[in-house]
Amino acid sequence: MDEKIYLSIVIPAYREEKRIHVILEAIEKYVKTKDFIVETIVAIDASPDDTVGSAEHFVDRIPNLVIYEGEQNRGKGGAVQDGIKLAKGQYVLFADADNSTPIEQVDKLLAHIDKYDVVIGSRYCKGGKLAIPQSFTRRAGSRALNWMIQALVTPGIKDTQCGFKLFSKEAAGAIFEKLTIFDFSFDIEVLAIAKKLGYKIKEEGITWHDDPHSTVNPLKDGLKMIVDSWKIRQNLQKKIY
């Protein structure tokens, strides 16, 4: 059975009781259009609400649905790491629980995975866009942050933070095994490790829908990403990866 799973979709979830249904309903529709087998893993990060119960409503609706609940809150990166350890697919995608990048856009990433080890959704490369344009201040802040992250650890990658990344199973295992950062900065470390290990990375443009209920604080979390990028740079210099 393991050999037949083509794509594993990992969904990190924390306090998603009221909206996990959005991506699960989208996956339910998506798998019905495909002739390959999809596995869906909801990796719940010790959530205090009933995210588990909300996900369980889909057990009989989505084939190969796995619901995993961690015992300790580890952060988004930790939940993704847990999900990837369980994944059996030939390729592994992690996607945000709010379906901000509609799940069917994974087809755009899969179109390149035979030539690349890692294909990431990007709002800022050719073909990428925001469904609803953000304010000038928000765009300028995002671009300035990315410029600093690129300068420190991920040169050439225009969008490190889009929660829609596809890996070969081998690359996913090797990269996430070395993860040391488990909050919102984990995406940066994932890409830095991928580069360090010599994996080929491609950015593919996607359409992204902003979630008004996002818990990300642009200023606070942005500053932390810069600090974490510096830590990652030091880790690279120390050959920790």
Side-chain angles (χ1 to χ4, degrees), residues 65-111:
L65 175 62
V66 177
I67 300 172
Y68 172 82
E69 184 175 17
E71 295 181 358
Q72 297 180 343
N73 180 256
R74 302 179 62 221
K76 182 180 178 181
V80 174
Q81 185 186 61
D82 287 339
I84 283 176
K85 287 179 180 178
L86 295 173
K88 299 175 182 177
Q90 183 178 350
Y91 303 108
V92 184
L93 173 84
F94 74 77
D96 287 339
D98 59 8
N99 204 36
S100 53
T101 304
I103 196 65
E104 63 270 15
Q105 293 191 64
V106 69
D107 290 345
K108 298 178 69 176
L109 277 57
L110 285 168

Side-chain angles (χ1 to χ4, degrees), residues 178-220:
K178 297 180 179 297
L179 204 64
T180 68
I181 294 173
F182 300 102
D183 59 15
F184 287 116
S185 300
F186 87 96
D187 292 88
I188 303 169
E189 189 176 35
V190 162
L191 295 171
I193 293 171
K195 278 180 168 286
K196 177 65 176 178
L197 295 180
Y199 288 119
K200 295 175 63 178
I201 304 171
K202 177 177 174 57
E203 281 190 272
E204 175 64 24
I206 51 85
T207 299
W208 186 72
H209 299 258
D210 191 14
D211 178 14
H213 302 103
S214 173
T215 59
V216 177
N217 183 305
L219 180 59
K220 179 182 177 181

Side-chain angles (χ1 to χ4, degrees), residues 162-178:
C162 181
F164 203 72
K165 294 179 172 67
L166 179 70
F167 307 80
S168 68
K169 182 175 176 58
E170 175 192 344
I175 293 167
F176 278 85
E177 180 183 36
K178 297 180 179 297

Side-chain angles (χ1 to χ4, degrees), residues 8-17 19-21 23-25 27 39-47 50-59 62 64-70 79-80 82-84 86-87 93 95-97:
S8 293
I9 301 173
V10 174
I11 306 165
Y14 180 76
R15 293 185 182 273
E16 299 291 355
E17 175 185 355
R19 66 176 185 176
I20 192 71
H21 69 92
I23 191 167
L24 293 179
E25 287 171 355
I27 290 173
E39 171 188 56
T40 304
I41 301 170
V42 180
I44 301 171
D45 191 26
S47 185
D50 194 24
T51 300
V52 172
S54 294
E56 286 177 342
H57 287 303
F58 291 83
V59 168
I62 299 177
N64 305 303
L65 175 62
V66 177
I67 300 172
Y68 172 82
E69 184 175 17
V80 174
D82 287 339
I84 283 176
L86 295 173
L93 173 84
D96 287 339

